[in-house]
Structure formats: C-alpha cells, structure tokens
Amino acid sequence: MKKTVAFHNLGCKVNSYEMEMMIKTLAGKGFIIVPFDQKADIYIVNTCSVTNIADRKSRQMIHRARAANPDAVIVAAGCYVNTHGSEEVTAEGVDICVVNEQKKDIADILDSYLGSREAGEACAQTDISDLEVLHTRCFIKVQDGCDQFCTYCIIPYARGRIHSRPIAEIVDDIKGYVSEGYKEFVPTGIHISSYGKDRPEDGEDLLGLLEKISEIDGVKRIRLSSLEPRLITEDFARSLSRIEQLCPHFHLSLQSGSDAVLGRMNRHYTTGEYIQAVDILRDHFDDPAVTTDIITGFPGETEEEFRETVDFVEKVGFYETHIFKYSRRRGTAADRMEGQLPEKVKHERSNVLLEINKRKKSEFEDRHISERVVSEVLFEDTEDIAGKTYMTGYTREYIKVCAAGDRYHAGDIATGTIRRQSDIIIFEDRS
Ligand code: SF4
C-alpha cells in the first residue's frame, strides 16, 4: 500500500534544496507526498540548528508531527541531528534520525525501517509534475560546508568542511531541470564563494561554474546567492558582466557596519573592503540590486558600534537588508562572550534598521519604475492580493511585480514597464 509522506523544511536554501531532492526521491519510489498539516504515514522534519531558536522550532515541528498522527513514523533529518546526536533527538519522539550526509539515502533508510521493500517498489511511479508546476526557479546545490568559522555560527560543525560538487555533475543536473521547464538557476551552497577550493587540482572555481551553466541551452537566468565581499575583484566582476543570463542582483552578507564587531564575529573582511566590492559591482552593472544580512545586538555591540552600522547601511544603499536579532547558539564562541545584550536592545536596533530598509527598498524600486525603463520579468506563481488574483514574478533585479488577467503563466518571460499601485508593483506588457 502506498505510504503518504509529509515534509517540513526549516532553515537555509541548502536545506530547501535537500528537501526537494528527498521529495523527488521518495515520489519517484511511489510514496505519496502530502502537505505537512495533513495526516500522513511518515513525517520528515528537515531540521535546522543555526540558533537556539532554530533548535526549538525543529523540536516543535517534531512534536507537531507526532501529535498529528501518533502512529506515524517520524524522521528528523539534517543539522539538528548532526549537532545533537541521535540519542538526544530520539528522546524527542523521533523514530529515525538522518544526518545531512544520509539525506540522499532517504529511500533506503525508510525502506529498511519499514521492514519491507514493498513500500517503495510495489507502487506505480508517481507523476511528480504537480510538485514542480509552479517552480520556475531552481536552487541547485553546488557545494556544502564552510570553513569560515564565524563566531556566532554552528554550521561548520553541523555540515563540516567545504565540499564542492564537480562542474560536470552540476551541468548534467541542470540540463535535466531545463527539460522539466526551469528557467532560472540559483547556484546554492553554505558558502559558494569557496566553491572549488577543496579541489584545487581540478582548477574549478565559481566563475568557471557560472560560465559553464550559462552555456547550457535553455538557461534563461542565473541568480547568485550569498557572496563573500573579498571575492569581488575587478576581473571577477568584469567576467560576471559578460555572462548574459546573470541577474544584476548580488547578496553580500555584511552582518555589521562596525569593524570592531566584524572582528569579534571573525568575518574576515572590513567595511572598507566591503564598500570597495559594492563599488566594483556598480562599475560593471547598471544600478544592480545589492542585498545583505545584518545581525543586531551581537555580544558587546555598543551604541556607537550600532551607529556605525546605521551609517554604513545608509551609505551603501541596499535594495534589501535582512535583519536578524542576534540569537545565542550553544557551542559557539559568541555564546561564551561577555556583553550579551537584552532582547529589548536587539529589538530596538532591529526596528531602526527595518525603517531604513523600507525607505531604501522603495528608493531602489522607484529608480527602476519608469514609463521608459523596460523590465524583463519571469512569472512564477498566482497570488491573491486585496481580493484580486495576480500572476506574480520577478525582474532580473528581483523586484516583485504583479500582472492582472490571465495572459501570463508560470514560466513565461515578458518585457514591459512597471509602475507602483498602492502596495504592489504592476507589470504592463510592452513586447
Ligand atoms: S560564512 Fe560564517 S555564517 Fe556563513 S556558514 Fe560559514 S561560518 Fe556560518
């Protein structure tokens, strides 16, 4: 009899990618994928352990799954298992623990737990096109692990040292995804700037990878995930600008605009190096979207250090700033630092940056909104906004736009102008 499986994902893009892979594997073996809030035979919680809060959410989802069906098989996969060990995780009511390295073997693991190969083999192949019909953008995992050891982060312990997938293997995967209808590809990893550094003898690096991806027929867009500022040199940016499909959208994690805080975070760059990287990108791309992450209330962050961050964020003029209140993570150096700040301070500082983010985002969008400037949009999904259904998509700069009517479908690429209408940005065709 076919078994139903419900997934819940927590955490980063790499985790999302790995969950998609597990879904594909199990769907291909005949398991029926159902929503997490539905009663299922098997629940798989793809956990995260980046902060104590992420640990708590992972435990909550495990308990929620158990409550939804006391007889279900509960699987905890990923970083929470890697960092806490099977014994501790099993005590939460989990039946099967799967570390990151075992996710690719999920079908075999379930098969052997269920005690019969029938569960996976007797069922007809499931048509998984339903799972993908709304997907036009594909996060493709190109590397795992990190050896940067930021003092607040547990990831190098949870996922280990860097490990890059060979270019040929990634290219093969992408060709398959192109044939399934994906148009945009986002090379994803824990630290993609380190791509290839674990295998210098192969001579493969991030630029080489991007160039190879751009040569694949049917790849319409390539969007980069988070980059390390020190990777951005004149040569690198010039080469990137020659890749036609590369979206002018660069996410450079800043975390703090204070050099003293960056030092305590062990971030390996200064604000001077950071702004230089942004300037180089702006020299080679026409008003690209530069986005970032900031942590507020890092241990010992003084009012003056926070002011430096505020000034720096104003100066750079990010399209989007993702703001995180510092969250302690057991086992990290930052957790043991003096000067842990009260939640109230983190919250207040976060609010200051949220206000700046709102203003800067709007300024960036306004520069791209014009009767004359033609934007290319890749449509992805339908969405109900204020009682009306729109097809939504993203420009190359990652500005979200909405098109009324039923002219466009997921996967369509169109060019036109964009204008603001209340809280949304409307796309109008000019092709
Ligand atoms: S770069 Fe720093 S924050 Fe990012 S995964 Fe590596 S150690 Fe963690």
Side-chain angles (χ1 to χ4, degrees):
M1 188 178 153
K2 294 181 182 183
K3 298 269 182 204
T4 51
V5 188
F7 279 85
H8 186 81
N9 189 62
L10 292 152
C12 63
K13 291 283 190 295
V14 172
N15 238 23
S16 306
Y17 172 87
E18 290 170 349
M19 185 186 79
E20 290 287 329
M21 290 300 102
M22 288 193 282
I23 289 175
K24 276 188 163 218
T25 304
L26 294 185
K29 290 279 185 184
F31 289 87
I32 300 165
I33 312 300
V34 297
F36 196 77
D37 56 8
Q38 201 168 304
K39 190 171 179 188
D41 300 313
I42 301 160
Y43 290 88
I44 301 182
V45 180
N46 200 26
T47 62
C48 174
S49 190
V50 71
T51 61
N52 290 350
I53 293 172
D55 279 350
R56 194 166 69 225
K57 281 189 186 157
S58 298
R59 287 192 295 271
Q60 277 170 353
M61 296 319 294
I62 289 166
H63 297 158
R64 193 172 298 177
R66 176 58 75 212
N69 181 5
D71 300 325
V73 175
I74 309 292
V75 182
C79 289
Y80 183 65
V81 181
N82 283 65
T83 53
H84 290 71
S86 303
E87 206 175 317
E88 191 178 328
V89 179
T90 308
E92 298 287 343
V94 165
D95 299 300
I96 307 175
C97 290
V98 177
V99 292
N100 283 313
E101 299 75 13
Q102 292 175 309
K103 286 177 183 172
K104 61 183 183 328
D105 306 318
I106 187 69
D108 290 341
I109 292 169
L110 273 178
D111 233 10
S112 82
Y113 183 85
L114 294 171
S116 162
R117 296 231 151 232
E118 284 169 19
E121 289 170 1
C123 313
Q125 294 276 307
T126 303
D127 179 359
I128 60 169
S129 58
D130 297 3
L131 295 168
E132 294 163 351
V133 78
L134 297 176
H135 292 160
T136 52
R137 188 182 325 129
C138 177
F139 293 90
I140 179 96
K141 181 172 158 184
V142 301
Q143 76 72 243
D144 204 341
C146 181
D147 55 8
Q148 299 294 298
F149 292 96
C150 299
T151 54
Y152 53 83
C153 184
I154 199 75
I155 296 295
Y157 307 97
R159 286 191 172 265
R161 293 306 182 90
I162 50 173
H163 171 73
S164 309
R165 298 179 64 204
I167 289 182
E169 193 181 300
I170 298 165
V171 165
D172 271 356
D173 278 0
I174 292 181
K175 284 179 180 165
Y177 292 126
V178 167
S179 69
E180 291 173 22
Y182 287 91
K183 302 265 170 72
E184 181 175 312
F185 291 87
V186 187
T188 301
I190 297 296
H191 195 253
I192 66 162
S193 300
S194 297
Y195 179 80
K197 290 187 178 152
D198 52 317
R199 291 186 290 103
E201 66 282 3
D202 292 352
E204 297 189 336
D205 60 12
L206 184 62
L207 188 59
L209 170 68
L210 297 172
E211 286 168 346
K212 284 286 178 211
I213 295 175
S214 73
E215 288 165 12
I216 301 170
D217 261 359
V219 171
K220 303 290 184 198
R221 285 182 173 185
I222 303 169
R223 194 178 295 281
L224 285 164
S225 52
S226 191
L227 288 183
E228 160 83 32
R230 286 179 310 165
L231 188 71
I232 316 290
T233 60
E234 285 286 347
D235 284 350
F236 183 77
R238 190 176 305 111
S239 302
L240 284 187
S241 69
R242 291 183 185 138
I243 299 176
E244 210 182 306
Q245 300 102 315
L246 193 96
C247 293
H249 173 199
F250 302 97
H251 187 85
L252 308 181
S253 276
L254 173 64
Q255 309 302 12
S256 173
S258 154
D259 286 327
V261 176
L262 287 177
R264 294 204 294 280
M265 289 177 165
N266 192 31
R267 287 292 292 176
H268 311 287
Y269 54 80
T270 63
T271 51
E273 288 169 320
Y274 189 98
I275 196 83
Q276 198 179 356
V278 173
D279 287 345
I280 290 173
L281 289 170
R282 286 178 172 157
D283 282 348
H284 289 275
F285 293 86
D286 182 17
D287 198 6
V290 180
T291 57
T292 200
D293 305 312
I294 305 260
I295 295 173
T296 62
F298 188 75
E301 183 187 64
T302 62
E303 191 55 44
E304 195 186 330
E305 286 168 346
F306 176 64
R307 277 283 126 210
E308 286 172 15
T309 296
V310 169
D311 293 346
F312 196 74
V313 168
E314 290 277 9
K315 178 174 159 185
V316 176
F318 294 104
Y319 165 42
E320 271 188 314
T321 305
H322 304 133
I323 299 138
F324 301 90
K325 287 173 271 191
Y326 170 70
S327 175
R328 295 178 80 158
R329 180 65 186 79
R330 202 161 29 117
T332 61
D335 185 46
R336 296 187 294 274
M337 285 179 185
E338 307 259 304
Q340 301 288 336
L341 296 179
E343 290 305 310
K344 185 168 172 285
V345 172
K346 296 176 196 174
H347 191 68
E348 284 165 3
R349 292 180 182 176
S350 170
N351 284 346
V352 172
L353 292 175
L354 282 170
E355 276 308 306
I356 300 174
N357 173 52
K358 214 161 129 194
R359 176 163 43 82
K360 291 287 179 189
K361 184 171 193 284
S362 187
E363 284 172 15
F364 179 83
E365 287 169 350
D366 286 345
R367 290 202 300 276
H368 288 260
I369 290 173
S370 152
E371 283 296 307
R372 287 167 292 109
V373 178
V374 172
S375 299
E376 178 206 275
V377 172
L378 170 58
F379 288 100
E380 297 196 346
D381 204 353
T382 53
E383 213 176 297
D384 288 334
I385 302 168
K388 201 168 166 188
T389 303
Y390 293 93
M391 176 56 74
T392 60
Y394 289 86
T395 68
R396 285 164 59 86
E397 294 81 9
Y398 209 62
I399 297 173
K400 183 178 179 180
V401 305
C402 307
D406 54 8
R407 175 166 180 182
Y408 300 109
H409 302 95
D412 287 350
I413 293 181
T415 49
T417 54
I418 57 177
R419 65 178 167 83
R420 201 180 287 283
Q421 180 183 291
S422 308
D423 290 340
I424 59 176
I425 295 175
I426 295 284
F427 173 83
E428 278 163 355
D429 196 278
R430 290 291 165 98
S431 51

